[in-house]
Amino acid sequence: MDTHTLTVVFGITVPFFLLTVGMLIDISMKHFPSPAEKAIWWLVALLPFIGWLLYLMFGFRRGKRPGKP
């Protein structure tokens, strides 16, 4: 592979990786109604390229941060 191809591949994959890691951290810090739901959101967030988007659309507001009512 030449450097241009590597740059394009990293330019596409790194943002998705960082978004996925960010969502996994957010899921880890929140309390969900049940441990099973938290585990399901973990699995959803791990879906390549779209898991973070699904979590943001449907699961982001379901969890509550500790210390907030």
Side-chain angles (χ1 to χ4, degrees), residues 25-54:
I25 290 170
D26 186 68
I27 293 167
S28 297
M29 293 174 56
K30 288 184 176 177
H31 292 294
F32 286 85
S34 71
E37 184 175 348
K38 188 173 198 169
I40 289 170
W41 283 118
W42 257 81
L43 293 174
V44 168
L46 287 173
L47 289 171
F49 299 107
I50 62 165
W52 62 271
L53 182 61
L54 291 173

